[in-house]
Amino acid sequence: MSIQNAMDFIEIYKKEKKLRDYLGSLTKADEVRGFIAELEIPFTDEEFEEAYNLSIVKCRDEVDHAILNQVKQSYILLIS
C-alpha cells in the first residue's frame, strides 16, 4: 500500500462522478475498501491522511482547497 495510491484515489475521486456515486451507494466500510482494492490502488487510512496533507500544499487557491477538503470529508463518511 502506498501514499501514491491514496493520492491517485483523491485525483480520480475528484474527477469521476460515477465513482463517487458508486462508492456512495455502498453501505459498509469494508465494501468501500474492497472496491478500492479492486481498483488496484489500496491504501490505509493513515496513507490517505498523509496524501491529503501532501495535497494541501499543491492547492492553487481556496477552491482547490475546498474541493480537497470535500474529498476528505466524503472519504471519512465512506469509511465510517
Side-chain angles (χ1 to χ4, degrees):
M1 295 190 205
S2 75
I3 295 169
Q4 185 59 52
N5 286 352
M7 292 180 85
D8 292 345
F9 172 79
I10 290 170
E11 290 306 311
I12 294 167
Y13 192 86
K14 287 194 288 188
K15 296 175 184 171
E16 298 295 332
K17 182 177 180 343
K18 287 182 182 181
L19 174 69
R20 293 191 303 270
D21 291 344
Y22 179 73
L23 288 173
S25 73
L26 301 176
T27 58
K28 297 178 183 172
D30 289 343
E31 292 174 337
V32 172
R33 288 186 174 101
F35 182 73
I36 291 171
E38 286 178 26
L39 294 175
E40 297 183 0
I41 54 170
F43 53 86
T44 65
D45 295 342
E46 293 79 15
E47 289 167 333
F48 180 87
E49 186 67 28
E50 185 65 25
Y52 170 80
N53 290 334
L54 290 170
S55 297
I56 287 174
V57 299
K58 296 179 183 178
C59 291
R60 295 180 303 242
D61 53 32
E62 288 183 37
V63 173
D64 280 352
H65 185 263
I67 292 169
L68 182 61
N69 194 47
Q70 287 176 338
V71 172
K72 180 180 180 181
Q73 296 305 315
S74 294
Y75 179 73
I76 290 169
L77 288 173
L78 290 170
I79 60 164
S80 297

